[in-house]
Amino acid sequence: MRFRRADPNAPAKPPRSTWARMLTAAIAGAVAVLAFAPFGYWPLQILSLGVLFYQVLRASNVKAGALIGWAYGFGWCAAGTHWLYISMHRYGDMAAPIAAIAVALLALLMAIYVALAMGAAAWLRQRWVLSLPVMTLLVLPATWTLFEWTRGWLFTGFPWLATGYAHNASPLGGFAPIVGSYGLGWLAALSAGALLLLTHRTRWRALGGVIALYAAGVGLQYVSWTHPVGRPITVRLLQGNVPQQQKFDPGFVLGALQMYQSAITSAPADLIATPETAVTVLPHQLPPGYLDSLATYAQQTGSTILLGMPVLDEQQRFYNAAVGITPNGTPGPYYQYRKHHLVPFGEFVPPGLHWFVAMMAIPLGDMGRGAEVQAPLQVRDQLVLPNICYEDLFGEEIAGQLASAHRHGKQSASVLLNISNLAWFGDSIAIPQHLQISQMRSLETGRPMLRSTNTGATAVIDGKGVVQSLLPPEQQATLAAKVQGMGGMTPYILYGNKLVLALAALALLTAFLLSRAARRGRAAQQ
């Protein structure tokens, strides 16, 4: 199978080595980062995947295909998550060479998923003897999607820079409420596969299919899957800009508490939210009357206050939590949302890796996990569902909470709220990348997402995934806005990733059936 007819009179070219193809793939993987925020050149993501698929199709064997995928994955992860070096070296006091090696090792490990995806595709091509259109339109997009989905949950998951996030503002974004971010990744891979057919006899059909796909995506952006519920609420989202070097310093804690108390009580709002761990001490360690004074303010002004702070349970287990103080009751007990999806090394230490944590001067520890489904916080006519920092990377978990309420005949949350502290990563591309992830959650669920962060990006995102207002990063400020909650169910809320997994499985089944039919046809001719 050739992409174009070779000139019979041209001298034979030596085949490219696997190492050369790996280098090309690694560069393509690094370039793919420009498709994501803050750059936003989403067509580069499709071109990058096209380069990867081309190199794999030209690979001499299955092992070479896997190595090419591994190189691509390394380039993508190393370029896209290099900011982890900042947290380990600048704030964790880890030696610079060791921090750099740690980032490289993570990239090599994450690249294994791409290696498996491309190795599987090369193996299926060899075993089933597949045509070029079947490989580019069915097999490669399916294996890419299945292993990217696997990366999102295996070993607690690391779905940062999943392909679909690059397309929150592309025409493909219209499909997000149906198939979610992994579905957008599958459509992007399908587009990349179609590019490789531009020199094939099926090029016009492939081109027509891509045009129809993107036209459908644009049309779907005008579909309203959800509808306004209740009256809008006023919100104040605090951005404390507390220096990470001082955040957990005992000598600085009192000053931070006073700063947040002043910011909270400076003006009323239906909802006032602070960043993750704005309060760094446990409730019993707070100055006497601290929470009571906030509860009194909430009652006097009709404000609901959500504090990011650690809490203890009856077994003295720590939790990263959001504590809600409502205006319609006496001080305590307060609403609590306890973080469910914890960050490896940041909130729990994987078995056998305590030696690695010991090399960093970061307040780490094994925390408890909150329940998978937790009640939202009532704020006047709206139900606000918090999530903490890293949790909004897991779209199916957020959708699952909304679907659970629907299945039990309860009103599902109408507003999403993320509280974060990304000061660990300085003024790096991690900040806009996380904002883009939150935008995808809004697209998938049709609900607004509020973000209260320590250093950025503090923002209000509407139910269409559009940033309505945004604070400048690394400034102490408050974002005030009016937010309309949304009700109703998108297909993604109801079915999660099941739809895209079914599509990927159907693509592989179709490839198998086409392969078997082709073999029977050849046998009949003989």
Side-chain angles (χ1 to χ4, degrees):
M1 289 178 286
R2 295 183 180 273
F3 290 94
R4 60 183 178 182
R5 190 180 300 277
D7 182 357
N9 299 316
K13 293 182 179 180
R16 292 188 67 193
S17 69
T18 299
W19 285 107
R21 297 193 184 282
M22 289 175 65
L23 178 60
T24 301
I27 294 172
V31 168
V33 175
L34 298 176
F36 299 88
F39 313 104
Y41 303 119
W42 61 264
L44 285 179
Q45 203 264 333
I46 294 172
L47 292 173
S48 171
L49 275 180
V51 171
L52 170 64
F53 292 171
Y54 178 84
Q55 298 301 325
V56 171
L57 288 169
R58 291 292 193 178
S60 55
N61 51 51
V62 174
K63 179 181 177 181
L67 288 173
I68 291 167
W70 198 15
Y72 180 92
F74 174 78
W76 149 79
C77 189
T81 62
H82 66 272
W83 36 262
L84 290 168
Y85 172 89
I86 298 173
S87 63
M88 289 185 286
H89 174 59
R90 184 187 302 175
Y91 299 118
D93 292 332
M94 179 179 282
I98 298 177
I101 291 171
V103 172
L105 286 175
L106 174 66
L108 289 171
L109 287 172
M110 291 298 104
I112 291 174
Y113 293 102
V114 188
L116 291 172
M118 296 301 100
W123 181 81
L124 290 175
R125 184 189 191 193
Q126 186 181 83
R127 183 174 179 82
W128 291 348
V129 192
L130 301 171
S131 67
L132 180 63
V134 170
M135 279 296 297
T136 59
L137 299 180
L138 296 177
V139 175
L140 282 164
T143 58
W144 173 266
T145 301
L146 289 172
F147 281 97
E148 190 164 55
W149 167 75
T150 302
R151 175 167 63 89
W153 59 265
L154 189 62
F155 305 121
T156 76
F158 187 70
W160 203 279
L161 287 188
T163 307
Y165 290 126
H167 297 279
N168 69 300
S170 88
L172 295 180
F175 290 96
I178 304 174
V179 293
S181 61
Y182 292 121
L184 298 195
W186 174 65
L187 294 173
L190 187 65
S191 304
L195 284 180
L196 300 184
L197 297 179
L198 293 182
T199 58
H200 191 267
R201 63 178 181 273
T202 60
R203 57 185 173 274
W204 296 115
R205 279 178 286 176
L207 183 60
V210 169
I211 292 174
L213 175 68
Y214 281 73
V218 172
L220 285 170
Q221 292 177 1
Y222 294 94
V223 175
S224 296
W225 299 97
T226 54
H227 55 271
V229 293
R231 291 168 296 180
I233 57 173
T234 58
V235 300
R236 294 179 61 241
L237 307 174
L238 308 188
Q239 182 171 286
N241 196 36
V242 176
Q244 192 60 42
Q245 300 94 324
Q246 298 175 319
K247 186 176 177 68
F248 295 95
D249 183 347
F252 187 79
V253 168
L254 183 59
L257 289 174
Q258 292 170 344
M259 180 272 293
Y260 276 115
Q261 184 178 40
S262 176
I264 289 169
T265 58
S266 64
D270 294 329
L271 175 64
I272 304 171
T274 73
E276 174 189 18
T277 57
V279 176
T280 58
V281 296
L282 293 164
H284 69 271
Q285 296 171 325
L286 287 167
Y290 187 85
L291 290 179
D292 289 349
S293 67
L294 294 180
T296 299
Y297 180 80
Q299 293 171 17
Q300 291 174 346
T301 62
S303 303
T304 295
I305 302 167
L306 196 72
L307 289 173
M309 63 184 300
V311 298
L312 286 173
D313 65 9
E314 296 79 5
Q315 287 75 40
Q316 301 300 298
R317 183 78 166 169
F318 287 93
Y319 293 87
N320 188 353
V323 174
I325 303 174
T326 61
N328 53 355
T330 57
Y334 302 117
Y335 167 88
Q336 283 191 21
Y337 172 84
R338 297 175 177 178
K339 189 174 184 181
H340 166 72
H341 205 120
L342 304 182
V343 181
F345 301 105
E347 291 162 328
F348 78 95
V349 182
L353 290 173
H354 286 77
W355 61 270
F356 179 76
V357 172
M359 291 191 294
M360 291 185 287
I362 292 178
L364 306 174
D366 287 324
M367 292 189 175
R369 297 178 187 272
E372 188 172 350
V373 176
Q374 301 182 53
L377 172 65
Q378 182 83 48
V379 181
R380 297 199 182 273
D381 288 350
Q382 306 301 328
L383 290 176
V384 179
L385 180 63
N387 59 84
I388 299 177
C389 196
Y390 184 70
E391 285 188 307
D392 70 345
L393 271 74
F394 302 91
E396 194 167 30
E397 294 182 5
I398 292 176
Q401 296 210 58
L402 299 173
S404 177
H406 176 74
R407 286 194 301 268
H408 289 86
K410 300 178 181 179
Q411 182 182 350
S412 63
S414 53
V415 177
L416 305 178
L417 169 64
N418 177 267
I419 62 172
S420 294
N421 174 34
L422 297 183
W424 293 108
F425 310 115
D427 187 19
S428 69
I429 61 174
I431 311 302
Q433 284 176 355
H434 198 194
L435 175 63
Q436 189 174 45
I437 289 167
S438 291
Q439 290 176 269
M440 184 59 68
R441 300 291 85 85
S442 288
L443 278 172
E444 290 171 344
T445 63
R447 283 157 170 76
M449 172 76 86
L450 313 178
R451 289 176 51 84
S452 179
T453 70
N454 183 21
T455 57
T458 298
V460 173
I461 305 167
D462 68 14
K464 292 288 187 179
V466 178
V467 176
Q468 295 295 311
S469 50
L470 175 69
L471 288 180
E474 298 190 311
Q475 292 184 18
Q476 187 178 121
T478 299
L479 178 58
K482 182 175 286 189
V483 178
Q484 174 62 62
M486 304 295 286
M489 298 288 112
T490 66
Y492 185 76
I493 291 175
L494 295 174
Y495 305 110
N497 293 322
K498 295 182 182 68
L499 291 176
V500 68
L501 293 176
L503 288 169
L506 180 62
L508 292 178
L509 176 61
T510 302
F512 169 73
L513 294 176
L514 290 173
S515 169
R516 189 169 67 173
R519 288 198 303 270
R520 288 177 175 175
R522 289 192 295 269
Q525 291 176 358
Q526 294 174 358

